[in-house]
Amino acid sequence: MHVELCKWYNGSDSPVLLMIDDLANKWVDTNNNGHLDLGEDWGYFKNSENSSFHYLNEKILKDFPWVKVTFFVPVGARVGMLETPLFPKKSLPMNSDEESRQFFRSIHDHPQFELAYHGTTHGKVGSRAQDFIQEWSLFQSLEEAASTIQEGTDIFRDAVGTDPRGGKYCGYTSNEYSDDSINQTNFSWWCRYWNRGMLDDPKDAICGQDQNPITNFDVKRFGSHNVIDIPSTVNGGLLNISQSDLSLKGIIKRALGNLLIRWKLREIKYLLNHRLVISIQEHIAPSRDDGKRQTPNIFDDYKSLIGIFEYLADKKVWYCTGSELADYVNLRDHVSLVIKDEYRFELNHQAPYRNQVISLAFRDQGPFTVKLPNDIQVEVVEGIVNLPVMKGEYFILKGGI
Ligand SMILES: [Zn+2]
């Protein structure tokens, strides 16, 4: 009998994560009319009409309720782009009042969503947008970084009720103290790099140094606590074809239409073929106080996102949050499959047994059923079975249930 641990849950080819940056208690009134218009809200307007969270649910997730979203939250008053903003804005910490706490908590408690940590203010503004310094580049020592993270996670805990388990560097930007600060403050996973950038522009510092696409688009570990590094691998605007670009290139792109989309989908096909992470990157809003549009964002990219999710609909993928991915990887890396004989095996776990679920793949022709140490029987479906990790012997029985 040939049995092995699956790389991903349920024997999937790839995990799929929708990651949305900068959900925050903030509003930029980009037309200065004192009312909320579509695309202006970052989370300040909660789930109300015209809010970005409402737009996300109604325009994108409604038809794909299986897609899971990990939101990256700047927990304090998120700064804008300029010292002297061009538009009025509101920006408050996520725990500024009971209604805000309740909004963020209800998202985090929903099984389809997770909130993760994305700094306190996101950084420091200058007189021009290009003078902006990202939060983790500001820290001049490990102590300074760690104590700011402590302040930030206190705000997060006050709003949400638990500590954030993962997060992302603001602007994917870090310095020599950053990785240690994440390791020391007990995060189990983090997003360090815009890994796709390695192919676009290898000189770009935010890409990391890994030039091998197979390892660059897979999970890694860093620090003495083996923090899991989840790569950022797909731009949510991947399938956009600009309708307003009047250059020859733009006209050709529109003429190519579906052909071009199929060609662009090769990026995702590559990740599936090599069983790598599909993490789709977005921002919650395009509105910036310097008059520019924040990209990628769910408003400009909603058709692209729908195209990506339609493409993935018949693929063998696992929709998960950052923490669900990290939990499976940790389990997979710490459980060993011990084959006793043709029909018996054990799952040895280095950590305490907590009934976490691991996936096994059978190469042999089924049907099979697995009897757990507690005598409950679980059917092997299309060669895959998801089993709670328990102490004791598992028996492989021929035939279905
Ligand atoms: Zn951000």
Side-chain angles (χ1 to χ4, degrees), residues 157-220:
R157 196 182 319 109
D158 183 39
V160 170
T162 56
D163 281 324
R165 296 196 46 211
K168 180 191 279 188
Y169 290 136
C170 307
Y172 295 108
T173 306
S174 56
N175 67 17
E176 66 263 45
Y177 310 112
S178 304
D179 287 353
D180 280 343
S181 76
I182 304 310
N183 181 57
Q184 191 181 299
T185 46
N186 294 323
F187 284 99
S188 55
W189 61 271
W190 201 259
C191 300
R192 294 193 293 170
Y193 300 120
W194 168 235
N195 304 70
R196 170 63 51 185
M198 182 48 82
L199 299 180
D200 298 341
D201 182 4
K203 290 188 295 299
D204 196 336
I206 65 173
C207 309
Q209 298 303 319
D210 190 352
Q211 306 220 18
N212 176 350
I214 301 292
T215 48
N216 190 29
F217 295 148
D218 209 339
V219 291
K220 288 195 178 68

Side-chain angles (χ1 to χ4, degrees), residues 21-22 42 72 74 78 118 122 134 168-172 283 294:
D21 289 5
D22 292 346
W42 297 42
F72 294 87
R78 207 270 190 208
H118 195 46
H122 207 283
Q134 302 284 1
K168 180 191 279 188
Y169 290 136
C170 307
Y172 295 108
H283 287 89
Q294 182 67 52

